[in-house]
Amino acid sequence: MEEILKVEGLGKTFTLSKKQQKLEKTKEKKRVAVDGLTFTAYKGEVFGLLGPNGAGKTTTLRMLATLIKPDRGDAVIDGSSIVRDPQQVRSKIGFLTSELKLEQFFTPNYLYDFFSMLYGVKPEVRDERKRKMFDRFGISEFAEVKVGNLSTGMKQKVSLVISLVHDPQIIIFDEPTNGLDVITAKVVTDFLQELKKDGKSIIVSTHIFNLIEKICDRVGIIIQGKMIVCDDLKGVTGEKTLEERFFEIYEETAGEAV
Amino acid sequence: MRNNILAIIKKEFVRFFGDKRMALTTILLPGLMIYVMYSILGEGMMGRMSADEDYVYHVSVVNMPQSMETMMENMPVQIENVSEKNEGEMAKVADKETDLFLVYQEDFDGAVASYDSETSQGAAPQIEMYYNSTKPESSEGYQMMIAAFDSYESMLANKFDVNGREGTYDLASDKDETGMFFSMMLPMLLMIFLFSGCMGIAPEAIAGEKERGTIATLLVTPMKRSHLALGKIISLGVIGLLSGLSSFIGTMLSLPKMMGGESGSIGVDVYGAGDYVMLLFVILATVLIMVAALSVISAYAKSVKEASTAILPLMVIVMVIAFSSMLGDGAPTQWYWYLLPFYNSVQCMNGIFAFAALPVNIVITVVSNLVYVMILAAGLAKMFDSEKIMYL
Ligand SMILES: Nc1ncnc2c1ncn2[C@@H]1O[C@H](COP(=O)(O)OP(=O)(O)OP(=O)(O)O)[C@@H](O)[C@H]1O
Ligand SMILES: [Mg+2]
């Protein structure tokens, strides 16, 4: 198996502002969000990061997508380091998250072309790809409607399609089904499985066991910024369900930590 | 890829010009408002003046001398002769019924003829003139009479004249007059208009994108941060320029109306193509440094509102510097003054409008501003790369 993502000792500590301290009713000035994470993902597989709220999933994925910089460790994505070569990393990955907003004023069609330009996609390739993706997600009839006037679900689909204008080989997806109704959620999970069939490598984060069981080949459980287990799905669950196994692990770790 | 700068510029233009309301309120409206306001203001002022010109002053007089009667024949006055100085006439002035109450001493002409300021003992012949300073017509009438008396008095003791013959003694040309007026007013107005234009758009384009979370979408693309910064600054510069120029054109068009009848000698036609080219370069360099500085400040802010507050100190500084065109005696000639941003713009404009600009100083201004813009753009690019500034 070919390594596509190698994370080593990745760490991120946030300094909490006065406002955040008050909001979270805490006196501590620092928050260790990710604490020396090490794991590997392989080409062509779907890797799931599973963890409760505040475990550090989003922070990890943001570091992998080079939106924020780690203060310890490094990760190498398809040969490029997120610390030393972030620009290279950006051109290789597609980062999907509800945090990345599209400007309300523009139409899906305009935004697709705009981002294709920024990713250096040639117009011929772009037009063909756009037609295929717009048809696939039912965006075609809304291609000239301003994003601001689209429904939430349609906005999400447009976001997804635009994050993939450069047809990246590695896709990083934070909470793929969060905030989507069951129908749209199914469209997205089906699409992820399609991408996998096409040989893409996918990293997702979620706290939904069901999603992991459905699409992931391997899973890493993080709690309080630390990787507790990381193995293929069978290796983690054994004879139990993922849910049962997760609570066992959680009890052991959280029990230790308290 | 240079193309990315173009893509950003194009996107900003589509965003701006595609939004009809935004484009109209930023570009057309400022110029139109200024034109309409200044024109109404100018017409109002002229209207007041012409009404005054037709006014006939009501004057009561005691002991009207022959000499004064002739003198006042040509003045817009209605004279009522009164036999003696009395409280009643004074009360009429106080109550604003009449404008002036004049009391000459008896046999005023005789007394004047026999009085010699060098030899005579005792007081000079007297005129008492009662007026009411709270009534504009009374006050103006008073001024008019004082002027008339002064010239009559100097005529009586005429020893020499200054500029007594017909002809124009002020040898300043139209060009000089225009230059002086414009070099004081226009740099200030231009700076203020340009800055307001830029101020209306930079917070929206930088802090607004941060606030709405759309900047992160740009930052996950492999585009260079410096390209994003340059694309933003250039597109904002063009829009700021259009907005500032709109206000400026509005001012220039309404200027003749503002100045009333005196505008005859003052006009933009005294400037040649060379002056306009220099002006254009200076304005461009000015707008660029304005948007660059405003962008950097906006990038620190979390929201458009916060950005609008954060740029106020810079606004005050630019306004104060803009006022420097009204003071002093023209633009300095030493080159080093032209290294100071904003000040160099004001003084270059001052020099151009006064026909006194040194091309070398214009070049220094444009080049130094471009260097500052590059530095600010690099700073902005660094800020785009800073997670603390962009997401926290
Ligand atoms: N910008 C920040 N400043 C301060 N603390 C932060 C910041 N971002 C995240 N954190 C903290 O870091 C920890 C990890 O957050 P993160 O968002 O990575 O968790 P998560 O696993 O994605 O949780 P969720 O399931 O709620 O999305 C949390 O305690 C969070 O409060
Ligand atoms: Mg999260």
Side-chain angles (χ1 to χ4, degrees):
Chain A
M1 276 192 296
E2 192 185 328
E3 285 177 1
I4 194 90
L5 164 68
K6 197 166 171 57
V7 179
E8 257 172 298
L10 202 64
K12 181 76 184 177
T13 305
F14 290 110
T15 311
L16 296 182
S17 66
K18 286 257 148 43
K19 217 160 122 196
Q20 282 171 315
Q21 283 180 7
K22 217 177 247 165
L23 216 66
E24 302 191 20
K25 299 196 180 73
T26 173
K27 281 238 159 53
E28 52 176 346
K29 287 214 168 50
K30 303 267 176 191
R31 164 78 43 88
V32 181
V34 176
D35 193 0
L37 225 53
T38 300
F39 66 94
T40 306
Y42 299 95
K43 193 170 176 141
E45 72 170 13
V46 180
F47 183 94
L49 276 178
L50 179 67
N53 290 137
K57 304 180 295 291
T58 300
T59 307
T60 304
L61 296 193
R62 289 172 114 202
M63 284 191 280
L64 296 182
T66 75
L67 268 179
I68 60 178
K69 298 178 189 77
D71 37 39
R72 280 172 291 144
D74 193 358
V76 176
I77 300 182
D78 192 19
S80 308
S81 151
I82 59 168
V83 177
R84 275 169 286 121
D85 210 356
Q87 202 185 335
Q88 200 71 47
V89 170
R90 284 176 204 131
S91 64
K92 287 179 177 172
I93 62 161
F95 183 43
L96 292 92
T97 157
S98 54
E99 281 175 279
L100 300 183
K101 301 280 179 356
L102 296 174
E103 279 189 74
Q104 310 267 314
F105 177 82
F106 295 103
T107 64
N109 189 27
Y110 184 89
L111 288 171
Y112 196 95
D113 292 356
F114 173 66
F115 281 99
S116 294
M117 183 86 172
L118 297 186
Y119 278 103
V121 182
K122 292 204 174 60
E124 315 86 72
V125 181
R126 174 197 72 199
D127 288 343
E128 170 63 19
R129 197 176 281 162
K130 179 166 64 180
R131 200 187 45 75
K132 220 175 78 198
M133 290 295 267
F134 276 22
D135 283 348
R136 170 76 178 71
F137 286 94
I139 299 170
S140 301
E141 58 177 310
F142 302 101
E144 298 300 340
V145 178
K146 284 183 183 168
V147 169
N149 297 332
L150 295 175
S151 68
T152 315
M154 190 52 72
K155 264 185 213 157
Q156 301 260 22
K157 289 184 205 166
V158 173
S159 265
L160 182 146
V161 164
I162 284 184
S163 305
L164 302 178
V165 287
H166 54 312
D167 192 27
Q169 290 308 300
I170 303 141
I171 291 145
I172 299 175
F173 209 150
D174 192 18
E175 309 274 7
T177 56
N178 238 21
L180 302 181
D181 64 31
V182 282
I183 299 167
T184 320
K186 183 165 166 22
V187 172
V188 172
T189 39
D190 286 353
F191 181 62
L192 281 175
Q193 279 168 327
E194 240 172 75
L195 286 173
K196 188 194 156 177
K197 240 181 256 149
D198 289 347
K200 315 277 191 213
S201 314
I202 302 166
I203 321 285
V204 298
S205 87
T206 184
H207 50 249
I208 302 169
F209 304 115
N210 202 346
L211 183 70
I212 298 269
E213 285 172 328
K214 205 187 263 163
I215 63 170
C216 291
D217 302 298
R218 293 191 335 122
V219 60
I221 296 181
I222 27 177
I223 296 171
Q224 293 174 352
K226 289 199 180 71
M227 185 66 82
I228 309 298
V229 231
C230 179
D231 203 346
D232 56 41
L233 202 52
K234 264 260 103 39
V236 173
T237 57
E239 296 307 304
K240 301 180 176 141
T241 64
L242 181 60
E243 186 172 350
E244 285 168 337
R245 189 66 195 114
F246 175 80
F247 282 115
E248 269 181 29
I249 293 169
Y250 185 72
E251 229 121 83
E252 284 166 27
T253 346
E256 258 169 40
V258 170
Chain B
M1 271 181 294
R2 287 285 124 148
N3 282 352
N4 286 344
I5 302 181
L6 282 179
I8 294 289
I9 294 175
K10 202 175 132 221
K11 187 208 76 169
E12 294 293 326
F13 282 174
V14 171
R15 168 82 190 85
F16 185 81
F17 294 104
D19 188 339
K20 292 266 165 0
R21 218 187 56 193
M22 190 146 100
L24 285 181
T25 50
T26 318
I27 294 184
L28 204 63
L29 212 59
L32 200 67
M33 287 262 290
I34 286 174
Y35 177 74
V36 170
M37 259 171 41
Y38 281 16
S39 297
I40 291 174
L41 220 75
E43 237 137 63
M45 279 182 353
M46 283 200 329
R48 230 190 94 75
M49 277 193 286
S50 57
D52 283 348
E53 271 161 27
D54 296 339
Y55 188 76
V56 177
Y57 300 91
H58 293 260
V59 186
S60 321
V61 183
V62 179
N63 296 330
M64 176 67 103
Q66 187 57 47
S67 59
M68 289 299 158
E69 199 157 2
T70 352
M71 184 183 86
M72 287 171 81
E73 259 167 21
N74 301 323
M75 293 166 79
V77 288
Q78 188 187 30
I79 294 165
E80 189 185 338
N81 284 302
V82 186
S83 57
E84 55 173 16
K85 179 178 173 182
N86 64 55
E87 299 286 319
E89 287 302 325
M90 283 158 78
K92 278 191 201 164
V93 175
D95 295 343
K96 303 182 184 178
E97 281 172 40
T98 58
D99 298 314
L100 295 173
F101 181 37
L102 273 170
V103 182
Y104 296 93
Q105 73 171 65
E106 255 175 80
D107 188 21
F108 178 78
D109 285 343
V112 168
S114 61
Y115 183 80
D116 185 322
S117 61
E118 276 159 35
T119 57
S120 295
Q121 306 278 312
Q126 282 297 308
I127 307 172
E128 289 170 284
M129 174 158 57
Y130 296 93
Y131 69 106
N132 185 339
S133 64
T134 58
K135 185 184 183 194
E137 290 84 358
S138 172
S139 197
E140 275 165 33
Y142 176 77
Q143 300 296 344
M144 177 180 74
M145 291 308 300
I146 290 285
F149 289 144
D150 273 350
S151 72
Y152 180 68
E153 188 186 31
S154 63
M155 200 181 80
L156 287 178
N158 197 356
K159 300 263 163 84
F160 63 87
D161 284 327
V162 179
N163 283 354
R165 287 173 218 204
E166 298 229 337
T168 313
Y169 291 92
D170 181 359
L171 297 179
S173 63
D174 287 358
K175 194 170 150 172
D176 291 336
E177 233 175 281
T178 304
M180 198 161 104
F181 176 76
F182 278 178
S183 67
M184 286 175 88
M185 290 297 295
L186 295 191
M188 183 185 73
L189 291 177
L190 259 172
M191 286 299 276
I192 292 174
F193 291 145
L194 292 176
F195 194 83
S196 332
C198 299
M199 212 171 88
I201 51 174
E204 176 61 33
I206 310 270
E209 285 227 35
K210 242 176 101 174
E211 191 178 358
R212 293 188 294 273
T214 52
I215 197 94
T217 317
L218 289 174
L219 293 176
V220 293
T221 71
M223 169 179 43
K224 282 214 174 76
R225 273 64 179 137
S226 54
H227 289 182
L228 178 58
L230 279 177
K232 284 274 183 192
I233 289 175
I234 294 171
S235 53
L236 287 174
V238 172
I239 298 169
L241 184 71
L242 290 178
S243 168
L245 284 184
S246 148
S247 306
F248 187 65
I249 291 170
T251 311
M252 297 306 279
L253 292 181
S254 54
L255 216 55
K257 296 196 183 180
M258 267 293 268
M259 315 265 310
E262 298 157 51
S263 67
S265 59
I266 291 185
V268 280
D269 47 352
V270 296
Y271 296 105
D275 297 317
Y276 283 112
V277 170
M278 285 195 288
L279 187 62
L280 193 68
F281 273 106
V282 171
I283 288 178
L284 264 174
T286 309
V287 167
L288 281 178
I289 197 162
M290 280 176 177
V291 287
L294 288 170
S295 298
V296 167
I297 296 173
S298 299
Y300 273 111
K302 285 190 188 67
S303 63
V304 178
K305 223 175 118 201
E306 207 183 293
S308 310
T309 316
I311 59 184
L312 288 181
L314 180 65
M315 187 183 88
V316 172
I317 292 172
V318 170
M319 300 285 141
V320 168
I321 293 175
F323 273 105
S324 71
S325 72
M326 308 274 281
L327 317 165
D329 16 72
T333 48
Q334 301 91 332
W335 60 273
Y336 46 81
W337 288 109
Y338 294 87
L339 294 175
L340 292 175
F342 301 120
Y343 183 75
N344 59 9
S345 305
V346 175
Q347 296 310 326
C348 276
M349 292 179 201
N350 187 304
I352 291 169
F353 286 123
F355 308 97
L358 295 179
V360 60
N361 288 340
I362 306 263
V363 171
I364 289 173
T365 297
V366 172
V367 170
S368 67
N369 273 22
L370 286 183
V371 170
Y372 300 141
V373 169
M374 283 321 209
I375 294 171
L376 286 168
L380 188 60
K382 270 257 170 329
M383 293 172 79
F384 283 144
D385 222 8
S386 158
E387 58 188 72
K388 288 222 170 51
I389 294 170
M390 284 298 122
Y391 314 110
L392 301 181

